[in-house]
Amino acid sequence: EQHAVPAAHVEWCASRYRSYRPSDDHYTSYSGEQRPCISPYLDASAAERVAQPADDSASYVEATDTWSMDGNVPADETGGAQLPPHHVEYCFSRYRSYRPEDNTYQPYSGGPRRQCE
C-alpha cells in the first residue's frame, strides 16, 4: 500500500542512502536487506507503518526507529528525557547510525554506542 510521504522526507532519504527508492520508500542496506527509510520528516503514523525491531547487527547506515513529527521521542524511550527536535535533527545530520530512542550513535571506529551531545 503506497502512502504519500512529505517531499522533505524523500529529499532527506535520497541524500542519506544512495540506494533509496522513493517508489517504495525503501533503501538497500550494506547487508543487502531492503529497509524502510525513516526520517525526521516522517509523521508518527507513517513511521509506525514501517517500523521494525532494532537489530544491533544492522549496518551503520540504518535508521529504522520511530519518532513523532515534531522530533520528540516518547519519554519512556529516553529514560524520561524529552529530546528537542533541533537536537534530533542535529544528531541525524551528524551520525548516520543515530537512534533517537536512546540518543546514541555507533562510532565508525567500532566499540560501544555513544551518546549524541
Side-chain angles (χ1 to χ4, degrees), residues 26-41:
H26 279 66
Y27 66 95
T28 305
S29 69
Y30 285 129
S31 62
E33 295 176 72
Q34 299 300 307
R35 299 208 172 127
C37 182
I38 308 294
S39 79
Y41 304 100

Side-chain angles (χ1 to χ4, degrees), residues 38-45 47-48 65-78 80-89 92 98-103:
I38 308 294
S39 79
Y41 304 100
L42 198 60
D43 68 39
S45 62
E48 288 168 8
D65 302 303
T66 61
W67 54 87
S68 65
M69 183 80 160
D70 63 5
N72 288 327
V73 177
D76 62 334
E77 296 181 4
T78 59
Q82 279 283 23
L83 299 173
H86 67 275
H87 176 79
V88 172
E89 289 177 25
F92 264 118
Y98 177 66
R99 290 193 315 213
E101 81 274 6
D102 61 2
N103 192 41

